[in-house]
Amino acid sequence: MQDELVLPPRLLWCDPRPIPRFNRQERVILIVRDPGLYEPSDEDHCSRFGYFCQTHDRPYSHESCGEGDHVIALDCQEHGPESMWPQPLMLMFPEGFDPPLSDAQLAWVRAEEDAV
């Protein structure tokens, strides 16, 4: 069971809700975890973050930065692109995870989030 409580090495999330018609932006896919990104630890005291669109190779700020889907990573000023813990919105819409999380993984992430 403990093996199930580890998140996949590469985990993406895309909001599964339909994009409003007035928003012409393409899909935004968040990189939650990736082996090529910095893995933060409890000892890190990073405080300045942004997002970086890997599709268009430029900073991303919740607006279109080019044509097509946006694959974005959390971008720490100190470490560069880094993995992140699943955010509350992601936990509200877990069907957006790719690959899908098992029930045990989702319960573990929610329990860890509640503990903080």
Side-chain angles (χ1 to χ4, degrees):
M1 172 109 172
Q2 185 65 25
D3 289 338
E4 287 187 60
L5 301 182
V6 173
L7 294 176
R10 178 158 171 87
L11 181 62
L12 305 175
W13 184 82
C14 182
D15 195 333
R17 299 173 294 175
I19 297 174
R21 291 180 193 203
F22 59 84
N23 183 346
R24 298 179 187 267
Q25 181 169 327
E26 303 294 335
R27 288 184 332 148
V28 175
I29 301 163
L30 288 167
I31 301 171
V32 180
R33 294 181 49 86
D34 187 274
L37 301 183
Y38 178 77
E39 189 65 39
S41 69
D42 290 339
E43 289 78 39
D44 291 330
H45 300 290
C46 307
S47 60
R48 298 195 60 197
F49 295 95
Y51 288 102
F52 189 82
C53 181
Q54 292 188 341
T55 304
H56 301 104
D57 196 31
R58 64 175 134 187
Y60 175 84
S61 61
H62 303 289
E63 58 196 37
S64 186
C65 65
E67 294 294 321
D69 291 349
H70 304 277
V71 179
I72 62 173
L74 185 65
D75 191 34
C76 170
Q77 186 177 22
E78 184 178 341
H79 301 109
E82 66 178 44
S83 292
M84 68 171 91
W85 187 252
Q87 302 298 301
L89 180 65
M90 296 174 189
L91 299 177
M92 289 174 52
F93 300 99
E95 60 273 18
F97 285 112
D98 181 23
L101 296 181
S102 70
D103 290 342
Q105 288 171 318
L106 195 53
W108 175 67
V109 168
R110 286 183 171 142
E112 290 290 318
E113 185 70 24
D114 288 343
V116 173

